[in-house]
């Protein structure tokens, strides 16, 4: 069952117009949200980011944050799931065939509550391999990578490069050649006992899971810091891991044929995976 513009409808009836600017131009925004054990994880943070994305693209939303939160819970309940993944999409709505966003009167929102398994289980145990993608993250002068917009074609092209190279995820650099993030995940390193990640101004989404890692490190007394990173930093790190709502926390053990550390998931990564699991199982908004 799909939540579509205020109604819960069967999947086959959940349709949007071919004149919707989300489809015609990628003109819209989205969130990916997980729920665990009957509770939505970091729901308010996701909704806040959604509203910031809307503001950044001049999209006036006819819903309040509370109404969006309630709609997410309704969509989950309608599917009788306890654990799973929500995809919430807001499009600019139906407009003319031209770009003009002001001709789109009413945004459209749909919410899919389902399940997702992004990467094979073995990668969570043994780590995944990354390649550096040729496709770069957009510059700050273009649409900010901090906007979680429907314009994901850069990431899709980078993902295609990674898959062609036999990897499930790829590293994306910014226009200066510094590490930004992966195609759908934020990236962290561990070096000499310190956890490092690039500042979002280096071209990444301000991931909700990324924020959770900062909290978990602080709670565990692990030093964590934002730092501009190069591929060299990853090649020579002791550990590397990726974070994202769908991915959760996953070790990365190889980049461009170089083993990271000893090529196995490291102790800090394992500690954070355990802490992340415990947190997701024990906190969240009940639905
Ligand atoms: N970067 C990109 C490009 C993403 O699409 C995502 C979400 N899949 C992330 C990072 C991770 O963000 P979050 O932890 O909020 O899911």
């Amino acid at each position: 069952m799909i939540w579509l513009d205020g109604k819960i409808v069967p999947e086959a009836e959940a349709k949007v117009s071919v004149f919707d600017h989300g489809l015609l131009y990628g003109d819209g925004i989205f969130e990916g949200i997980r729920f665990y054990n009957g509770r939505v994880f970091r729901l308010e943070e996701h909704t806040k980011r959604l509203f910031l994305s809307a503001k950044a693209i001049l999209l006036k939303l006819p819903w309040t944050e509370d109404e969006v939160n309630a709609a997410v819970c309704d969509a989950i309940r309608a599917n009788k799931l306890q654990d799973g993944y929500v995809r919430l999409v807001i499009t600019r709505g139906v407009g003319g065939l031209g770009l003009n966003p002001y001709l789109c009167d009413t945004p459209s929102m749909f919410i899919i509550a389902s399940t997702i398994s992004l990467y094979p289980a073995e990668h969570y145990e043994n780590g995944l391999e990354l390649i550096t993608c040729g496709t770069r993250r957009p510059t700050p002068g273009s649409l900010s990578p901090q906007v979680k917009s429907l314009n994901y074609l850069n990431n899709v092209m980078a993902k295609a490069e990674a898959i062609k190279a036999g990897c499930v995820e790829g590293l994306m650099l910014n226009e200066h050649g510094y590490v930004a993030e992966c195609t759908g995940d934020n990236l962290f390193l561990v070096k000499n006992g310190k956890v490092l990640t690039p500042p979002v101004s280096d071209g990444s989404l301000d991931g909700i899971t990324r924020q959770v890692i900062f909290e978990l490190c602080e709670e565990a007394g692990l030093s964590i810091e934002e730092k501009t990173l190069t591929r060299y930093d990853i090649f020579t790190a002791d550990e590397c891991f990726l974070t994202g709502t769908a991915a959760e926390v996953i070790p990365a053990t190889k980049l461009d044929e170089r083993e990271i550390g000893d090529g196995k998931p490291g102790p800090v990564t394992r500690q954070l995976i355990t802490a992340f699991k415990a947190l997701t199982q024990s906190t969240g908004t009940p639905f």
Side-chain angles (χ1 to χ4, degrees):
M1 303 298 285
I2 310 293
W3 191 103
L4 173 64
D5 294 328
K7 293 196 187 93
I8 303 270
V9 296
E11 189 183 321
E13 286 168 32
K15 294 192 173 140
V16 292
S17 165
V18 292
F19 289 95
D20 192 299
H21 276 215
L23 184 58
L24 287 176
Y25 293 118
D27 187 354
I29 53 178
F30 77 101
E31 280 296 322
I33 307 168
R34 268 203 195 253
F35 50 100
Y36 299 88
N37 213 7
R39 280 185 285 232
V40 190
F41 188 62
R42 300 285 157 129
L43 177 57
E44 275 154 29
E45 284 89 336
H46 281 285
T47 307
K48 280 212 172 71
R49 184 172 67 185
L50 180 76
F51 276 67
L52 294 178
S53 294
K55 185 171 189 183
I57 68 159
L58 294 167
L59 180 58
K60 281 209 179 68
L61 300 182
W63 310 279
T64 63
E65 291 188 26
D66 286 347
E67 284 167 344
V68 170
N69 292 338
V72 169
C73 293
D74 287 348
I76 297 171
R77 274 197 307 272
N79 288 282
K80 300 186 171 58
L81 294 165
Q82 281 299 297
D83 295 85
Y85 178 85
V86 164
R87 174 60 54 88
L88 185 160
V89 177
I90 300 181
T91 73
R92 181 96 50 191
V94 172
L97 276 180
L99 287 173
N100 188 348
Y102 299 108
L103 296 178
C104 303
D105 285 336
T106 318
S108 189
M109 173 158 71
F110 60 85
I111 304 170
I112 304 165
S114 184
T115 53
I116 191 167
S117 79
L118 195 61
Y119 302 128
E122 77 206 51
H123 293 324
Y124 288 87
E125 264 313 301
N126 305 321
L128 54 74
E129 178 178 352
L130 297 170
I131 60 132
T132 305
C133 304
T135 311
R136 299 280 171 105
R137 290 297 275 151
T139 68
S142 56
L143 180 71
S144 167
Q146 287 177 63
V147 177
K148 200 158 169 63
S149 81
L150 294 181
N151 188 336
Y152 254 59
L153 205 44
N154 272 315
N155 303 50
V156 171
M157 292 297 97
K159 183 89 172 185
E161 292 179 50
I163 289 168
K164 270 277 175 220
C167 297
V168 294
E169 182 55 301
L171 173 69
M172 296 186 79
L173 308 175
N174 66 22
E175 86 272 23
H176 301 300
Y178 294 111
V179 171
E181 58 179 344
C182 292
T183 70
D185 309 306
N186 289 111
L187 181 139
F188 289 80
L189 294 183
V190 184
K191 179 114 195 197
N192 300 328
K194 248 192 193 157
V195 180
L196 302 170
T197 194
V200 291
S201 52
D202 280 350
S204 70
L205 184 74
D206 191 358
I208 308 289
T209 323
R210 177 184 187 276
Q211 293 164 15
V212 172
I213 292 296
F214 275 82
E215 291 169 28
L216 291 176
C217 283
E218 272 148 35
E219 271 166 32
L222 291 164
S223 150
I224 180 159
E225 194 178 293
E226 290 184 337
K227 190 168 181 280
T228 293
L229 300 172
T230 62
R231 286 165 72 226
Y232 173 85
D233 295 315
I234 306 179
F235 296 150
T236 59
D238 302 321
E239 300 178 34
C240 178
F241 61 90
L242 314 181
T243 67
T245 297
E248 301 173 301
V249 184
I250 185 161
T253 46
K254 214 174 193 189
L255 172 65
D256 300 331
E257 295 172 43
R258 283 85 157 178
E259 280 191 345
I260 301 169
D262 63 1
K264 297 190 182 75
V268 175
T269 303
R270 288 202 185 281
Q271 180 183 347
L272 289 169
I273 289 174
T274 304
F276 182 77
K277 276 197 182 131
L279 187 70
T280 56
Q281 290 301 317
S282 61
T283 58
T285 308
F287 51 79

